[in-house]
Coordinates of all heavy atoms in Angstrom, one line a residue:
L141 N -1.7 -20.7 -8.6 CA -1.7 -20.4 -10.1 C -2.0 -21.8 -10.8 O -1.4 -22.8 -10.5 CB -0.4 -19.9 -10.5 CG 0.0 -18.6 -9.8 CD1 1.4 -18.1 -10.4 CD2 -1.0 -17.5 -9.8
V142 N -2.9 -21.7 -11.8 CA -3.3 -22.8 -12.6 C -2.6 -22.9 -14.0 O -2.0 -23.9 -14.3 CB -4.8 -22.9 -12.8 CG1 -5.3 -24.0 -13.7 CG2 -5.6 -22.9 -11.4
F143 N -2.6 -21.8 -14.7 CA -2.0 -21.7 -16.0 C -1.6 -20.2 -16.3 O -2.4 -19.4 -16.1 CB -2.8 -22.3 -17.1 CG -2.2 -22.3 -18.5 CD1 -1.3 -23.3 -18.8 CD2 -2.3 -21.2 -19.3 CE1 -0.7 -23.3 -20.0 CE2 -1.7 -21.2 -20.5 CZ -0.9 -22.2 -20.9
P144 N -0.4 -20.1 -16.8 CA 0.8 -21.0 -17.0 C 1.6 -21.1 -15.7 O 1.7 -20.1 -14.9 CB 1.5 -20.3 -18.1 CG 1.3 -18.9 -17.9 CD -0.1 -18.8 -17.3
V145 N 2.3 -22.2 -15.5 CA 3.2 -22.4 -14.3 C 4.4 -23.1 -14.8 O 4.4 -23.9 -15.8 CB 2.5 -23.2 -13.2 CG1 1.4 -22.4 -12.6 CG2 2.0 -24.5 -13.7
Q148 N 5.5 -23.1 -18.5 CA 4.7 -23.5 -19.6 C 4.6 -22.5 -20.8 O 4.8 -21.3 -20.5 CB 3.3 -23.8 -19.1 CG 3.2 -25.1 -18.2 CD 1.8 -25.3 -17.7 OE1 1.2 -24.4 -17.2 NE2 1.2 -26.6 -18.0
A149 N 4.3 -23.0 -22.0 CA 4.3 -22.1 -23.1 C 2.9 -21.6 -23.3 O 1.9 -22.3 -23.0 CB 4.7 -22.9 -24.4
V150 N 2.8 -20.3 -23.7 CA 1.6 -19.5 -23.8 C 1.4 -19.1 -25.3 O 2.3 -18.6 -25.9 CB 1.5 -18.4 -22.9 CG1 0.2 -17.5 -23.2 CG2 1.5 -18.8 -21.4
D151 N 0.2 -19.4 -25.9 CA -0.1 -18.9 -27.2 C -0.5 -17.5 -27.1 O -1.6 -17.2 -26.5 CB -1.2 -19.8 -27.8 CG -1.6 -19.3 -29.2 OD1 -1.0 -18.3 -29.7 OD2 -2.6 -19.9 -29.7
P152 N 0.2 -16.5 -27.7 CA -0.2 -15.1 -27.6 C -1.6 -14.8 -28.1 O -2.2 -13.8 -27.6 CB 0.9 -14.4 -28.3 CG 2.0 -15.3 -28.4 CD 1.4 -16.7 -28.4
D153 N -2.1 -15.6 -29.0 CA -3.4 -15.3 -29.6 C -4.5 -16.0 -28.8 O -5.7 -15.8 -29.1 CB -3.5 -16.0 -31.0 CG -2.5 -15.2 -31.9 OD1 -2.5 -13.9 -31.8 OD2 -1.8 -15.9 -32.7
N154 N -4.1 -16.7 -27.7 CA -5.1 -17.3 -26.9 C -4.6 -17.4 -25.4 O -4.5 -18.5 -24.9 CB -5.5 -18.7 -27.4 CG -6.7 -19.3 -26.6 OD1 -7.5 -18.6 -26.0 ND2 -6.7 -20.7 -26.4
A155 N -4.2 -16.3 -24.9 CA -3.4 -16.2 -23.6 C -4.4 -16.0 -22.5 O -4.7 -14.9 -22.1 CB -2.4 -15.1 -23.7
V156 N -4.9 -17.1 -21.9 CA -5.9 -17.1 -20.8 C -5.0 -17.5 -19.5 O -4.6 -18.6 -19.5 CB -7.1 -18.0 -21.0 CG1 -8.0 -17.9 -19.7 CG2 -7.8 -17.6 -22.2
F157 N -4.9 -16.6 -18.6 CA -4.1 -16.8 -17.4 C -5.1 -17.1 -16.3 O -6.1 -16.3 -16.1 CB -3.3 -15.6 -17.0 CG -2.1 -15.4 -18.0 CD1 -2.3 -15.1 -19.3 CD2 -0.8 -15.6 -17.5 CE1 -1.2 -15.0 -20.1 CE2 0.3 -15.4 -18.3 CZ 0.1 -15.1 -19.6
E158 N -4.9 -18.2 -15.5 CA -5.9 -18.7 -14.7 C -5.4 -19.0 -13.2 O -4.2 -19.5 -13.2 CB -6.6 -19.9 -15.2 CG -7.8 -20.5 -14.3 CD -8.5 -21.7 -14.9 OE1 -8.0 -22.1 -16.1 OE2 -9.3 -22.3 -14.3
W159 N -6.1 -18.7 -12.2 CA -5.7 -19.1 -10.9 C -6.9 -19.5 -10.0 O -8.1 -19.4 -10.5 CB -5.1 -17.9 -10.2 CG -6.0 -16.7 -10.0 CD1 -6.8 -16.4 -8.9 CD2 -6.3 -15.7 -10.9 NE1 -7.5 -15.3 -9.1 CE2 -7.3 -14.8 -10.4 CE3 -5.8 -15.4 -12.3 CZ2 -7.8 -13.7 -11.0 CZ3 -6.4 -14.3 -12.9 CH2 -7.3 -13.4 -12.3
Q160 N -6.7 -20.2 -8.9 CA -7.8 -20.6 -8.1 C -8.2 -19.5 -7.1 O -7.3 -18.8 -6.6 CB -7.4 -21.8 -7.3 CG -7.2 -23.1 -8.1 CD -6.8 -24.3 -7.3 OE1 -6.8 -24.2 -6.0 NE2 -6.5 -25.4 -7.9
V175 N -3.5 -8.6 -11.2 CA -2.7 -9.5 -12.0 C -1.7 -8.7 -12.8 O -2.0 -7.6 -13.4 CB -3.6 -10.2 -13.1 CG1 -2.8 -11.2 -13.9 CG2 -4.8 -10.9 -12.4
A177 N 1.7 -9.1 -15.5 CA 2.4 -10.0 -16.4 C 3.2 -9.3 -17.4 O 2.9 -8.1 -17.8 CB 1.4 -11.0 -17.1
Y187 N 1.5 -5.9 -18.3 CA 0.1 -5.9 -18.2 C -0.3 -5.9 -16.7 O 0.3 -6.7 -15.9 CB -0.4 -7.2 -18.8 CG -1.9 -7.5 -18.5 CD1 -2.9 -7.1 -19.4 CD2 -2.3 -8.3 -17.4 CE1 -4.3 -7.4 -19.1 CE2 -3.6 -8.6 -17.2 CZ -4.6 -8.1 -18.0 OH -5.9 -8.4 -17.7
V195 N -13.6 -13.2 -9.9 CA -12.9 -13.4 -11.2 C -11.7 -14.3 -10.9 O -11.0 -14.0 -9.9 CB -12.5 -12.1 -11.9 CG1 -11.7 -12.4 -13.1 CG2 -13.7 -11.3 -12.2
N196 N -11.4 -15.3 -11.7 CA -10.2 -16.1 -11.5 C -9.4 -16.4 -12.8 O -8.7 -17.3 -12.9 CB -10.5 -17.4 -10.8 CG -11.4 -18.4 -11.7 OD1 -12.0 -17.9 -12.6 ND2 -11.3 -19.7 -11.4
S197 N -9.6 -15.5 -13.8 CA -8.8 -15.6 -15.0 C -8.9 -14.3 -15.7 O -9.8 -13.5 -15.6 CB -9.4 -16.8 -15.9 OG -10.6 -16.4 -16.4
V198 N -7.8 -14.0 -16.6 CA -7.8 -12.9 -17.4 C -7.2 -13.3 -18.8 O -6.4 -14.3 -18.9 CB -6.9 -11.7 -16.9 CG1 -7.5 -11.2 -15.6 CG2 -5.5 -12.2 -16.7
T199 N -7.6 -12.6 -19.8 CA -7.1 -12.9 -21.1 C -6.2 -11.7 -21.5 O -6.6 -10.5 -21.5 CB -8.2 -13.0 -22.2 OG1 -9.0 -14.1 -21.9 CG2 -7.6 -13.3 -23.6
I200 N -4.9 -12.0 -21.9 CA -4.0 -10.9 -22.2 C -3.7 -10.9 -23.7 O -3.6 -11.9 -24.3 CB -2.6 -11.2 -21.5 CG1 -2.9 -11.2 -19.9 CG2 -1.6 -10.1 -21.8 CD1 -1.7 -11.5 -19.1
S201 N -3.8 -9.7 -24.2 CA -3.7 -9.5 -25.7 C -2.3 -9.8 -26.2 O -1.3 -9.6 -25.5 CB -4.1 -8.0 -26.1 OG -3.1 -7.2 -25.6
P202 N -2.2 -10.2 -27.5 CA -0.9 -10.5 -28.1 C 0.0 -9.3 -28.1 O 1.3 -9.4 -28.0 CB -1.3 -10.9 -29.6 CG -2.7 -11.3 -29.5 CD -3.3 -10.4 -28.4
L205 N 2.1 -9.5 -24.9 CA 3.0 -10.7 -24.8 C 4.0 -10.8 -25.8 O 5.1 -11.3 -25.6 CB 2.2 -12.0 -24.6 CG 1.2 -12.0 -23.4 CD1 0.4 -13.3 -23.4 CD2 2.0 -11.9 -22.1
W214 N 4.6 -13.8 -14.5 CA 3.3 -13.3 -14.1 C 3.0 -13.5 -12.6 O 3.6 -14.4 -12.0 CB 2.2 -13.8 -15.0 CG 1.7 -15.2 -14.7 CD1 2.4 -16.3 -14.8 CD2 0.3 -15.6 -14.2 NE1 1.6 -17.4 -14.5 CE2 0.3 -17.0 -14.1 CE3 -0.8 -14.9 -13.9 CZ2 -0.8 -17.7 -13.7 CZ3 -1.9 -15.6 -13.6 CH2 -1.9 -17.0 -13.4
V216 N -0.1 -13.0 -9.3 CA -1.4 -12.6 -8.9 C -1.4 -12.3 -7.4 O -0.8 -13.0 -6.6 CB -2.5 -13.8 -9.1 CG1 -3.9 -13.3 -8.7 CG2 -2.5 -14.2 -10.5
F232 N 6.8 -18.1 -17.5 CA 6.2 -18.8 -18.6 C 6.9 -18.5 -19.8 O 7.8 -17.6 -19.8 CB 4.7 -18.4 -18.7 CG 4.4 -17.0 -19.0 CD1 4.3 -16.6 -20.3 CD2 4.3 -16.1 -18.0 CE1 4.0 -15.2 -20.6 CE2 4.1 -14.7 -18.2 CZ 4.0 -14.3 -19.6
E233 N 6.6 -19.2 -20.9 CA 7.3 -18.9 -22.2 C 6.2 -18.6 -23.2 O 5.0 -18.8 -23.0 CB 8.0 -20.2 -22.7 CG 9.2 -20.6 -21.8 CD 9.9 -21.8 -22.3 OE1 9.4 -22.4 -23.3 OE2 11.0 -22.1 -21.8
I234 N 6.7 -18.0 -24.3 CA 5.7 -17.6 -25.5 C 5.9 -18.7 -26.6 O 7.1 -18.9 -27.0 CB 6.1 -16.2 -26.0 CG1 5.9 -15.2 -24.9 CG2 5.1 -15.9 -27.2 CD1 4.4 -15.1 -24.4
E235 N 4.9 -19.2 -27.1 CA 4.9 -20.2 -28.2 C 5.5 -19.5 -29.4 O 5.2 -18.4 -29.8 CB 3.6 -20.8 -28.5 CG 3.1 -21.7 -27.4 CD 1.8 -22.4 -27.8 OE1 1.2 -22.0 -28.8 OE2 1.3 -23.2 -27.0

Side-chain angles (χ1 to χ4, degrees):
L141 304 184
V142 177
F143 181 84
V145 293
Q148 285 180 309
V150 173
D151 178 1
D153 295 318
N154 186 30
V156 180
F157 288 66
E158 183 180 356
W159 63 94
Q160 292 180 6
V175 184
Y187 169 92
V195 177
N196 68 337
S197 68
V198 296
T199 300
I200 302 179
S201 68
L205 297 177
W214 76 296
V216 182
F232 65 94
E233 297 180 355
I234 299 297
E235 287 185 355

